[in-house]
Amino acid sequence: FRLRVVAVEELGSDAVSLVIAGRGLDRLGARAGQFLLWRFLTRGQWWSSHPYSLSEAPRGDRLRITVKALGDHSAALRHVRPGTRIVAEGPFGVFTDRARRLDKVVLIGGGIGIAPIRALVEELRGDVVVLYRVLREADVVLHDELERLAAERGFALHVLIGDHATCDDPL
């Protein structure tokens, strides 16, 4: 597969989404909820690969990942330019609709961990509840997309903001 970055979208709160395209991506067999090992062929990054989950259901000709700047590699991704070549290994993981056993589902994500859940809710049907926990309102990513999907697909979305260690927390 010849993969390239086609768009870099700043999301605030030190998060960025990268849209990746390439011919024959449907043959990859990636599913919403899975992750791949990504190697961005840029100076300083080509030698290491890092696992990032898909944050959008695969579209056949494009994939998307959403990453928060938590270290040197992830922080550098906001500077990746469209056209950058990528080598990816995978997909990996069984956090997909195929693993589902019951009609009722509760998905719980914290911080940037909402990314694979965001992808997965595009494919889930039935009684679905999403709990999204963050420390600060500024940490919420993909919120507009999640709300739109909740309205379109009929699942319940609850964003919980606050530190669980404080007495102000309702949980």
Side-chain angles (χ1 to χ4, degrees):
F1 300 100
R2 291 187 173 155
L3 303 178
R4 292 194 184 274
V5 173
V6 294
V8 179
E9 303 164 356
E10 297 274 341
L11 300 178
S13 188
D14 297 327
V16 64
S17 284
L18 288 92
V19 179
I20 297 151
R23 277 194 252 146
L25 278 178
D26 54 331
R27 293 189 320 238
L28 188 61
R31 299 187 52 85
Q34 291 187 307
F35 70 95
L36 289 88
L37 298 175
W38 301 94
R39 184 182 307 265
F40 295 86
L41 303 181
T42 63
R43 184 178 305 176
Q45 291 182 314
W46 64 269
W47 54 270
S48 67
S49 64
H50 291 267
Y52 298 119
S53 297
L54 299 175
S55 62
E56 186 177 71
R59 302 253 183 273
D61 63 343
R62 73 179 237 165
L63 302 171
R64 185 182 77 175
I65 59 174
T66 300
V67 179
K68 184 168 181 158
L70 297 172
D72 291 344
H73 185 273
S74 56
L77 291 180
R78 75 176 50 255
H79 304 294
V80 169
R81 293 187 177 137
T84 299
R85 292 185 310 145
I86 303 167
V87 174
E89 198 178 331
F92 300 104
V94 295
F95 184 58
T96 69
D97 190 32
R98 288 183 180 164
R100 184 178 183 172
R101 300 293 174 250
L102 301 170
D103 187 49
K104 295 183 179 191
V105 176
V106 174
L107 300 168
I108 302 170
I112 198 64
I114 198 67
I117 291 171
R118 166 25 193 116
L120 192 55
V121 294
E122 285 187 71
E123 297 182 349
L124 290 177
R125 306 237 185 277
D127 189 358
V128 177
V129 175
V130 175
L131 301 176
Y132 180 15
R133 180 61 181 248
V134 293
L135 290 176
R136 302 170 298 132
E137 192 166 345
D139 295 331
V140 177
V141 295
L142 306 171
H143 188 252
D144 291 345
E145 292 180 24
L146 286 162
E147 283 192 333
R148 179 185 49 80
L149 286 166
E152 289 173 6
R153 304 196 52 86
F155 65 85
L157 172 65
H158 303 282
V159 179
L160 308 168
I161 300 171
D163 186 344
H164 71 282
T166 66
C167 59
D168 295 338
D169 190 345
L171 296 180

